[in-house]
Amino acid sequence: AQTVTQSQPEMSVQEAETVTLSCTYDTSENNYYLFWYKQPPSRQMILVIRQEAYKQQNATENRFSVNFQKAAKSFSLKISDSQLGDTAMYFCASNTNAGKSTFGDGTTLTVKP
Amino acid sequence: ETGVTQTPRHLVMGMTNKKSLKCEQHLGHNAMYWYKQSAKKPLELMFVYSLEERVENNSVPSRFSPECPNSSHLFLHLHTLQPEDSALYLCASSRGLAGGPTFTDTQYFGPGTRLTVL
């Protein structure tokens, strides 16, 4: 069975500062993808960033980057220069080789002005 | 945000009512999903369809009945619901292949239907 754990139900950060959201996962698969999705208040959930498990290089998308530690099964999301529009619920997710998706319970991030 | 649409956006129904939720994707994807999002369990996968065939059913009560007439449309028929079924119901789609979703699939979500059962 696949599990995804987000240990921080809520976090806050000052505008322009950096914040890191934690995610750990457990899988017996050798090949899988990891994802961070963002769900702003009353808006649609969208993909933030994704990482292929067999790639050692950490994925980066503008202000968003991940710290992927495969041996530790850790996949944290770093948001640099936080903006008010980053306020949202963030979900960590993993896909197995069979295409099954498992989501964490989410972390609610509030960016304060 | 027009890739995946859902109607209605809000729905209030009594426990004896029958209603349906509709999802449409305009992305040419092969796989479609229903999720339930509530405060107690943030994201629960309910059903997965691949090319109109159900490939996953996560022990969902029979009062929820999915229907996928083609790869662009997905319905969730609701009948004799309970107050604890009140939640946000999210539809998603992904590229998938003939056999179902693949591990590379990114999911694209709709805005959800906020359901309240009285």
Side-chain angles (χ1 to χ4, degrees):
Chain A
Q2 199 175 206
T3 61
V4 176
T5 302
Q6 294 178 248
S7 59
Q8 305 150 315
E10 296 182 359
M11 293 190 72
S12 64
V13 63
Q14 292 296 133
E15 196 175 7
E17 294 188 348
T18 295
V19 64
T20 298
L21 308 185
S22 300
C23 173
T24 58
Y25 63 93
D26 192 16
T27 180
S28 57
E29 303 278 337
N30 289 322
N31 222 1
Y32 51 93
Y33 269 61
L34 299 165
F35 303 80
W36 278 99
Y37 290 90
K38 167 187 177 181
Q39 186 179 36
S42 302
R43 295 185 62 187
Q44 283 169 253
M45 184 144 31
I46 58 172
L47 176 72
V48 175
I49 197 167
R50 68 182 210 168
Q51 173 81 39
E52 302 170 54
Y54 59 86
K55 282 192 174 179
Q56 292 189 346
Q57 186 174 6
N58 289 326
T60 299
E61 289 287 342
N62 300 314
R63 298 182 296 107
F64 299 88
S65 61
V66 299
N67 183 6
F68 175 47
Q69 302 289 328
K70 190 171 184 179
K73 295 184 178 176
S74 170
F75 182 61
S76 59
L77 174 69
K78 186 172 85 171
I79 306 174
S80 304
D81 186 26
S82 297
Q83 301 176 359
L84 296 178
D86 295 333
T87 292
M89 193 162 189
Y90 289 81
F91 290 93
C92 178
S94 69
N95 282 9
T96 67
N97 201 25
K100 183 174 175 61
S101 297
T102 301
F103 285 77
D105 286 347
T107 295
T108 299
L109 175 68
T110 301
V111 180
K112 298 179 178 179
Chain B
E1 298 180 339
T2 58
V4 181
T5 58
Q6 290 186 243
T7 55
R9 295 293 305 274
H10 300 271
L11 178 63
V12 179
M13 58 187 289
M15 289 191 286
T16 58
N17 292 157
K18 288 184 181 180
K19 296 286 184 182
S20 296
L21 309 185
K22 179 182 176 182
C23 175
E24 184 173 359
Q25 59 95 0
H26 311 270
L27 302 168
H29 287 166
N30 294 317
M32 296 188 76
Y33 311 72
W34 278 118
Y35 288 90
K36 176 184 178 182
Q37 187 176 25
S38 61
K40 289 186 177 180
K41 293 185 104 177
L43 211 59
E44 297 176 73
L45 178 65
M46 300 175 73
F47 303 103
V48 181
Y49 275 82
S50 175
L51 294 172
E52 304 119 61
E53 183 177 335
R54 192 187 310 179
V55 296
E56 188 155 344
N57 175 352
N58 272 3
S59 303
V60 179
S62 59
R63 57 185 182 269
F64 295 92
S65 175
E67 178 191 1
C68 189
N70 55 63
S71 59
S72 298
H73 293 86
L74 185 65
F75 294 89
L76 187 63
H77 304 299
L78 314 173
H79 173 54
T80 321
L81 295 192
Q82 306 298 312
E84 59 264 30
D85 296 322
S86 298
L88 181 69
Y89 287 84
L90 295 173
C91 174
S93 71
S94 69
R95 185 181 303 174
L97 294 173
T102 73
F103 73 107
T104 64
D105 278 12
T106 294
Q107 292 186 44
Y108 294 80
F109 288 84
T113 295
R114 175 69 63 185
L115 174 67
T116 302
V117 182
L118 301 176

